Amino acid sequence: MNDKTDKLIDKKGIRGDGRKADELRSLKLQVGVLSNADGSAYIEHGKNKILAAAFGPREMHPKHLSQPDRMVLRCRYHMAPFSVPERKSPAPSRREVELSKVIKESLEPALFLELYPRTGVDVFVEVLQADGGTRCASITAAALAIADAGVPMRDLVVACAAGKIDDTIVLDLYDVEDKLGSADVPVAYMPNLNAVTLLQMDGVLSSSELEKAVNMAMDGCKNIYAMQKEALKTKYMVVKETEE
Amino acid sequence: MNDKTDKLIDKKGIRGDGRKADELRSLKLQVGVLSNADGSAYIEHGKNKILAAAFGPREMHPKHLSQPDRMVLRCRYHMAPFSVPERKSPAPSRREVELSKVIKESLEPALFLELYPRTGVDVFVEVLQADGGTRCASITAAALAIADAGVPMRDLVVACAAGKIDDTIVLDLYDVEDKLGSADVPVAYMPNLNAVTLLQMDGVLSSSELEKAVNMAMDGCKNIYAMQKEALKTKYMVVKETEE
Amino acid sequence: MNDKTDKLIDKKGIRGDGRKADELRSLKLQVGVLSNADGSAYIEHGKNKILAAAFGPREMHPKHLSQPDRMVLRCRYHMAPFSVPERKSPAPSRREVELSKVIKESLEPALFLELYPRTGVDVFVEVLQADGGTRCASITAAALAIADAGVPMRDLVVACAAGKIDDTIVLDLYDVEDKLGSADVPVAYMPNLNAVTLLQMDGVLSSSELEKAVNMAMDGCKNIYAMQKEALKTKYMVVKETEE
Amino acid sequence: MSSLITKVRAKQIEQLLENGKRLDERGLLDTRELKIEQGVIEKAEGSARVYLGKTEVLVGVKVETGEPFSDTPKEGVMTVNAELVPVASPRFEPGPPDENSIELARVVDRGIRESRAIDTGKLCIEEGKKVFIVFVDVYVLNHDGNLIDASAIAAMAALMNTKMPNYEVKDGELKIKQGYKPLPMRNHPITVTLGKINNKLLVDPWLEEESVMDSRITFATGEDGNICAIQKGGSGYFTPQQILEASKIALDKAVELRKKLKW
Amino acid sequence: MSSLITKVRAKQIEQLLENGKRLDERGLLDTRELKIEQGVIEKAEGSARVYLGKTEVLVGVKVETGEPFSDTPKEGVMTVNAELVPVASPRFEPGPPDENSIELARVVDRGIRESRAIDTGKLCIEEGKKVFIVFVDVYVLNHDGNLIDASAIAAMAALMNTKMPNYEVKDGELKIKQGYKPLPMRNHPITVTLGKINNKLLVDPWLEEESVMDSRITFATGEDGNICAIQKGGSGYFTPQQILEASKIALDKAVELRKKLKW
Amino acid sequence: MSSLITKVRAKQIEQLLENGKRLDERGLLDTRELKIEQGVIEKAEGSARVYLGKTEVLVGVKVETGEPFSDTPKEGVMTVNAELVPVASPRFEPGPPDENSIELARVVDRGIRESRAIDTGKLCIEEGKKVFIVFVDVYVLNHDGNLIDASAIAAMAALMNTKMPNYEVKDGELKIKQGYKPLPMRNHPITVTLGKINNKLLVDPWLEEESVMDSRITFATGEDGNICAIQKGGSGYFTPQQILEASKIALDKAVELRKKLKW
């Protein structure tokens, strides 16, 4: 988080992209977009454009990574070279490795890992365009891909960030706010179970600001959750129509 | 292919190195040159100096690469660091990876892959000095190494390029022509089966020029084929003499 | 070895750090310093600070590296990024790879490799601070770690260098002497068996100088050997006291 | 490969071909439906998403500045990279590029480079020191066969969509002016691949056909109808006659496609 | 993980926790004994060895010169690297950093960076060209749980111990003067991690607890009591209430620790 | 290793040695036939192919320009790299250099470097900025034992064969004049390796002997008869007496070889 240079939110509480403090960016969710994956989803979250695919449960390769008593979830979060202003090398950066790990750990609580011992589920996330908040959008899409693959889940996982710009707690930071704001708090959440499965924070917040930000992020999650369910239903209905 | 700067072929149809348009460079082929390989061959094709060694059919390592219904051929085309004007890093370049693949695919049609299920043959090509046309010379040598290893073959594979310099279709481009000419067409061929197993093209050719170039390259192949058989015979006779 | 610039040893035979020609640097040896390793040791040899840990005999991973008729010893000599004046990349350098090999080969003669077929012992050496002579100090510590792991040994292995500075053969070169002196001869030795298990030389020595250096190094080894045994005894007694 | 498609399926494909038919009901010389969307990645300098049947390829173009190669000090640099992203197929694994993605990148590169599609002479800022570098990143999102053609078309569509800074060079200094201008192009190669199954040539093989085909051959042709790149692939062979036949088909298909695309 | 600790052991830990007890007889909110040794690597610009119970971490700091990042041309650079050295655990293997060591490094980095602990503005030699680079290398020597807290404390202790050349910058030229001066610091973050086992929160989990715990959460707080970094880890979850509770505990423990350490 | 040579073979070798004989009928102190061909790679600045019995090593030398090391700003740079090319043995695998090829390269390097064979002071173009870099690439083409001696001799033969641009340095500018001149050399080290089997020392062990030998020891000696590098290898040991004996034999063999080679 850098020093803020200009005002990120004006006196009327309107942000650089025209949103109010507690307003989500526009979202578009699609399920079942790739024919070769067992499950897949596409998300446009603001200008973020992200594809997620799930494969499995299937035999693990290499085999020695499988576990005798549970399924293994593997995740890869990967950015396309053209997804960011300066071309990114396709080799995984340390940031991508960390995000792959926290995304995996945000999804695991939703899975019945013990139901499929010795198998693996692979989730691949490809960020085609990045606009701030990619990890959250990736989790929202990855959960849909896993559901689309037919892997039983306790709940969907949905993610959204809140943060602080110019002393205001706001929802769903975009690129500029992410860079110039004073804190970013990505949250992943399972609404039915009231369970936070990812929480990180960059920047500086007081205790009470943190509480406010987490609550705001969870509210954002609940809104996106409705869209997730809608996206699944839409695909299901389309599939059903096709089948009839 | 760059723009031509000087004339590569003179009015009498004589090229920079004194050859006529349809003339091969001098060739030297030797079989069974390495004592530790199951089969080996050495080729000097112009100033190209290339060693090829074949190992197998043998158990594959790692095992999971083996196929239940056929033999696996692996090839590595590799240039020595001192083989080119500017020292080459020993790590495989993208060019070397591609050439390894097309060389492998140029040799596979000659093998009875289904005869040796679960086994592998490894072919290693080391370019000790490069002078244009290394992929073709590598194929010519690799086929001899495989034959020398006693692996049954439908036919030898032999390779030669044709190309275009100064509007003339010529045979067997050397270094300078390769860099400054306007097209290069490497061809691998099994003369007995009249089968083209490698065809690539860099540069610009019309349809009819391509036809002419391919035909000229195949004629070159047939000439080298005779030398290949001679090289095998020579080794066989030397071995026979030794045995008597 | 570079040209000497200043005198490394004065007229009275006193070296830059106040030692006489045949004097060891101060040493400190501790056994059993790490709770997670099967065996461990810490050495301060001059300003060298080195940790060694031994794991095993245990099943090898990956399995295909195990040998049907003997135990496999693996060693890694590794320098911490902050151990040297200019930060060292954590990736293993060619020097570290060579030292790992010669350290392994200096320890192997002390082990009954044939007693534990199909198993492996791993020895990890971490140089926390380097001051010249790290390979010798590493061997001294590694042998203690192996002994501490309870792996039966023919003898301890102990190592010390001798070398030449300003035409004088001296014992146990430190950093400055290592860089500016004219020869360095690291020696590893099993005193009970009178066996030299590592010998290398950098620099220039006559035959008779070499003989003198090797003898001086072996004498140094014998002195350190006494400290090794003391360190093992100390730990054993401490353990015994604890048990009572 | 028997592990990927049953031999029954292979036989079915071969029998259909004997009768001039294909599993997906195309004629032997028909390409699948082609759909091109340009400008799909707003933040990249250029981009295009191509659907060839169910095969889906996204290409992004980034334009940056850097050093020229020492043997072409006055020319900009183009570099093509391809990733067989693991979302695209259960057989793709994450990791550094393998021989398939490297071959794909190099074949796409060759078609663009040899046809001199990009006017690299116009990408020089300061001779020998600073030029524009055009990064073409091929991202395969769904693999249903014939990645070469889909990628080559997507790469060209992305380049044609590429805007770059409206720069001016004065005394070797790069001055960025307002607005953007298109990447300077001077040719529009079209790439056509044929497969061979049981000595039958077929255009635009899809995944099921690829899994049983002997070999493939790719031709890139420029606007003048000349061939600018060829690549044979696969572990089979072609007779000289088949090569001529394939080249004629490929040239015809390229003309047809060029008309449709108005390239 | 059943392969690391028997289920019996897991049950034992859980039952103890029900009664507010832990295997090692600590209370739920007690940290293990903390011992800090600074300056243990004389040849490094800064160093510290931290013992947190049996967990042992050595951090060395090197200060070199290099180029600044293009978006912060006037600021020095700090970089944190962590190695899970194989002497520390039979489960650590030599090789390039894996996801665990990368996460560890990045969490340590975040606490220092976001609290602006180092005054990087004072590390500029020549704007945009030359700045000091502070390499913080975390070396885990013995793993008995809670590597994050031990590493974060060791990193701060090493930075506070760091001496750097007593330089002067005149006309963009670096002049090294006699003696050393301390690295310019302006904040001293303290990092506290809690684990969750069966819905019980416990401070500073050790290895046996880590092997059965659902998840962990880490808070770094600055001198002003503000939070400057959070990281949830592990394959479990927290309820929103647990997060608030955890944050309160962590802040309290940080205050307590800050007093003890006089940071 | 029982997997490489039957124990019967091992016994046979040992029994022969008891009688002062070897499998290939050499005496214990005899080297195999040595053949050197220089200038075999015309396009390299220097090259040599060495046959030591059936062991075959090709060394190519490239001379380029680059930066000196900061601690030797006035000296050219030499770097030795060795590849155990997979054509040379079924046990060599393609890939980055392993510990064996790294040790080989470093022992060859040490002999040349410590004897100051190359006059690197004459390879400086501009102090601290630009010097000649001599790349010595050792390429093992057939492995029949004693790669160290074959490689060391081939490296020296290639360096002695190396021509470099006939340059002149004026005001720090490199001016290439017509023609070539030899690389400036000032010593010609010779490297001799002995193996130990059952407490017998033998010169120039070949592959079958290597597979049963306890250990080896290598001595490089300069023109003045001084030793400039030693390397013990293998998982056995030497008694101090054996080391002295081995050094004497190695020095004698080096004198003998030096006469033969006229180095």
Side-chain angles (χ1 to χ4, degrees), chain E residues 46-94:
Chain E
S47 61
R49 194 163 183 157
V50 159
Y51 302 82
L52 184 59
K54 284 188 186 165
T55 287
E56 189 179 338
V57 174
L58 174 62
V59 171
V61 176
K62 302 293 298 180
V63 181
E64 303 187 352
T65 58
E67 278 185 41
F69 288 113
S70 59
D71 53 347
T72 52
K74 291 182 182 179
E75 292 189 40
V77 171
M78 177 200 61
T79 164
V80 178
N81 180 59
E83 300 226 21
L84 304 179
V85 183
V87 303
S89 165
R91 278 180 291 152
F92 293 171
E93 288 184 15

Side-chain angles (χ1 to χ4, degrees), chain D residues 79-92:
Chain D
T79 164
V80 177
N81 180 58
E83 301 227 19
L84 303 180
V85 183
V87 302
S89 164
R91 278 180 291 152
F92 293 170

Side-chain angles (χ1 to χ4, degrees), chain A residues 139-183:
Chain A
I139 290 167
T140 302
L144 283 175
I146 293 171
D148 185 37
V151 180
M153 297 175 83
R154 291 190 170 84
D155 195 359
L156 287 173
V157 184
V158 54
C160 185
K164 184 179 168 187
I165 57 172
D166 300 350
D167 303 317
T168 308
I169 301 299
V170 297
L171 184 64
D172 191 15
L173 284 68
Y174 73 109
D175 207 356
V176 176
E177 293 172 340
D178 196 11
K179 280 206 191 76
L180 304 178
S182 43

Side-chain angles (χ1 to χ4, degrees), chain A residues 189-243:
Chain A
Y189 188 57
M190 296 193 290
N192 272 336
L193 303 171
N194 193 34
V196 174
T197 66
L198 172 125
L199 178 66
Q200 293 184 293
M201 205 267 278
D202 261 29
V204 177
L205 286 184
S206 71
S207 242
S208 58
E209 286 171 335
L210 173 66
E211 186 172 351
K212 193 174 170 192
V214 171
N215 284 328
M216 192 183 269
M218 287 190 301
D219 284 342
C221 286
K222 285 170 194 162
N223 283 322
I224 301 173
Y225 184 62
M227 298 183 228
Q228 272 184 318
K229 286 193 294 186
E230 193 60 32
L232 276 174
K233 212 167 99 186
T234 304
K235 193 220 162 176
Y236 177 74
M237 284 169 61
V238 171
V239 170
K240 227 177 131 188
E241 279 165 18
T242 312
E243 279 172 353

Side-chain angles (χ1 to χ4, degrees), chain C residues 5-229:
Chain C
T5 48
D6 280 304
K7 280 286 175 197
L8 293 169
I9 185 163
D10 70 13
K11 286 173 185 171
K12 293 176 184 166
I14 302 301
R15 294 148 75 178
D17 61 353
R19 282 185 292 152
K20 284 177 288 185
D22 60 352
E23 195 180 338
L24 284 173
R25 287 176 283 181
S26 68
L27 276 116
K28 184 180 148 190
L29 287 167
Q30 276 178 289
V31 173
V33 294
L34 297 171
S35 66
N36 288 327
D38 294 328
S40 61
Y42 176 67
I43 187 169
E44 289 186 11
H45 186 152
K47 287 182 185 153
N48 290 310
K49 298 186 176 187
I50 297 170
L51 261 178
F55 294 87
R58 60 181 181 183
E59 207 180 300
M60 288 201 76
H61 176 75
K63 280 183 190 175
H64 69 87
L65 293 180
S66 72
Q67 296 289 339
D69 55 349
R70 59 189 176 89
M71 191 181 87
V72 173
L73 175 67
R74 288 188 294 192
C75 286
R76 187 179 87 139
Y77 165 96
H78 188 243
M79 302 188 92
F82 44 76
S83 64
V84 280
E86 202 165 327
R87 180 180 184 268
K88 198 209 145 280
S89 155
S93 65
R94 289 160 57 97
R95 178 180 166 277
E96 284 170 295
V97 172
E98 186 204 345
L99 292 202
S100 297
K101 182 176 190 288
V102 298
I103 290 171
K104 178 186 69 190
E105 292 173 347
S106 77
L107 296 167
E108 281 176 331
L111 301 178
F112 299 92
L113 298 175
E114 61 289 355
L115 283 190
Y116 304 88
R118 299 191 181 282
T119 68
V121 166
D122 285 298
V123 172
F124 300 110
V125 170
E126 293 293 337
V127 177
L128 306 178
Q129 182 162 278
D131 186 40
T134 57
R135 87 191 66 186
C136 288
S138 296
I139 290 166
T140 302
L144 284 176
I146 293 172
D148 185 38
V151 179
M153 297 176 84
R154 291 190 170 85
D155 195 1
L156 287 173
V157 184
V158 54
C160 186
K164 184 178 167 187
I165 57 172
D166 299 350
D167 303 317
T168 308
I169 301 298
V170 298
L171 184 64
D172 190 15
L173 284 67
Y174 74 109
D175 207 356
V176 176
E177 293 172 342
D178 196 11
K179 279 206 192 76
L180 304 178
S182 43
D184 183 31
V185 185
V187 172
Y189 187 56
M190 297 192 290
N192 271 337
L193 302 171
N194 193 32
V196 174
T197 66
L198 171 124
L199 178 66
Q200 293 185 292
M201 205 268 278
D202 261 29
V204 176
L205 287 183
S206 70
S207 243
S208 57
E209 286 171 333
L210 173 66
E211 186 172 351
K212 193 173 172 194
V214 170
N215 285 330
M216 191 183 271
M218 287 191 301
D219 285 342
C221 286
K222 286 170 194 162
N223 284 322
I224 302 173
Y225 185 62
M227 300 182 227
Q228 273 184 317
K229 286 192 293 184

Side-chain angles (χ1 to χ4, degrees), chain F residues 227-241:
Chain F
I227 301 166
C228 52
I230 304 178
Q231 183 87 344
K232 177 258 175 185
S235 54
Y237 62 87
F238 290 93
T239 63
Q241 293 71 24

